Amino acid sequence: MEFLTAPSSRIGLMLTLLCSVPAVTAADRYSIDPVHTRVAFRVMHAGFSPSIGTVSRPTGNLLYDAADPAASQVSINIHLATLDLGDADWNRKVLEDFLDAGDHPQARFRSTSVEAVSANLLRVTGNLEIAGGTTPVVFSVVMNAHKRHPLTLKKTLGMQASTDFSRKALGIDAWPSLVGDRVHLDIAIEATLSDRNTEDNTP
């Protein structure tokens, strides 16, 4: 009964404390499945045709809140040593002359915002880091599935993401007369509900 008769100042203090408690996010943590996640890219070669390559076994985490996609976050690490353009010499030249993979062996993407465009389409904005440079990009992300996987029986996110960016914006300006500036990325992603989901929600 003391609470019911508390002075207005005490009630005001209690309300202030309650309002200052951080909101609990409902976002679940998913770990990227490196076996079923792959990056494909293409860039024009001498104006004739696009060179197409892939980078395998990315790692990272996603925080995903189906009820509030804006509370979601994405963090992906791309290991450049797995780059494959179909030719060992071409792989080596790209890793050395374009990607500076000796000093920067990973590319990274960190989201800054997630926006729901429709029921199965997201717009994910963030920063892409390659070869020591950083540029903002916007991924268009199609949500293919969010359900229990029939083989692992674990809750899994399946999606595909795409974006375009300027390599010169990252400071990658080698061979400008032979290699185009615009690079297109496609990422196929599967991510599994993490065993750490109950421990923390930090990507």
Side-chain angles (χ1 to χ4, degrees), residues 14 23 28-29 32-34 39-40 56-57 66 81 101-102 108 114 125 130 132 154-155 157-158 175 186 195 198 200:
M14 294 179 70
D28 288 327
R29 181 190 181 99
I32 289 176
D33 177 354
V39 179
S56 304
R57 304 190 69 82
R108 298 180 177 88
V114 177
T125 301
I130 305 177
K154 292 184 176 181
K155 197 170 184 180
L157 281 169
W175 304 358
D186 285 311
D195 293 336
T198 57
D200 68 81

Side-chain angles (χ1 to χ4, degrees), residues 1-12 14:
M1 299 300 295
E2 181 183 356
F3 173 77
L4 295 177
T5 58
S8 59
S9 59
R10 186 183 302 177
I11 295 175
M14 294 179 70

Side-chain angles (χ1 to χ4, degrees), residues 116-188:
V117 178
S118 65
N120 66 338
L121 182 63
L122 302 175
R123 182 180 292 113
V124 180
T125 301
N127 295 313
L128 180 65
E129 303 173 28
I130 305 177
T134 303
T135 189
V137 297
V138 180
F139 278 96
S140 178
V141 180
V142 177
M143 296 288 298
N144 295 320
H146 182 209
K147 60 184 180 180
R148 193 173 299 278
H149 197 287
L151 296 178
T152 65
L153 302 182
K154 292 184 176 181
K155 197 170 184 180
T156 301
L157 281 169
M159 62 190 75
Q160 56 202 67
S162 62
T163 192
D164 293 273
F165 64 90
S166 162
R167 65 185 182 94
K168 292 179 182 176
L170 289 160
I172 304 173
D173 54 6
W175 304 358
S177 62
L178 289 176
V179 179
D181 177 49
R182 302 303 299 177
V183 181
H184 179 80
L185 285 185
D186 285 311
I187 308 179

Side-chain angles (χ1 to χ4, degrees), residues 48-145:
F48 290 106
S49 65
S51 290
I52 300 173
T54 62
V55 187
S56 304
R57 304 190 69 82
T59 56
N61 299 289
L62 295 85
L63 296 183
Y64 181 64
D65 185 344
D68 182 15
S72 303
Q73 299 176 42
V74 181
S75 173
I76 300 178
N77 301 318
I78 301 169
H79 308 282
L80 299 178
T82 64
L83 178 140
D84 182 13
L85 280 152
D87 180 84
D89 288 339
W90 189 218
N91 291 347
R92 178 180 53 80
K93 288 181 181 295
V94 170
L95 287 171
E96 293 177 356
D97 296 352
F98 290 85
L99 301 178
D100 193 17
D103 290 332
H104 305 282
Q106 290 189 2
R108 298 180 177 88
F109 174 76
R110 303 289 185 268
S111 67
T112 55
S113 68
V114 177
E115 175 188 358
V117 178
S118 65
N120 66 338
L121 182 63
L122 302 175
R123 182 180 292 113
V124 180
T125 301
N127 295 313
L128 180 65
E129 303 173 28
I130 305 177
T134 303
T135 189
V137 297
V138 180
F139 278 96
S140 178
V141 180
V142 177
M143 296 288 298
N144 295 320

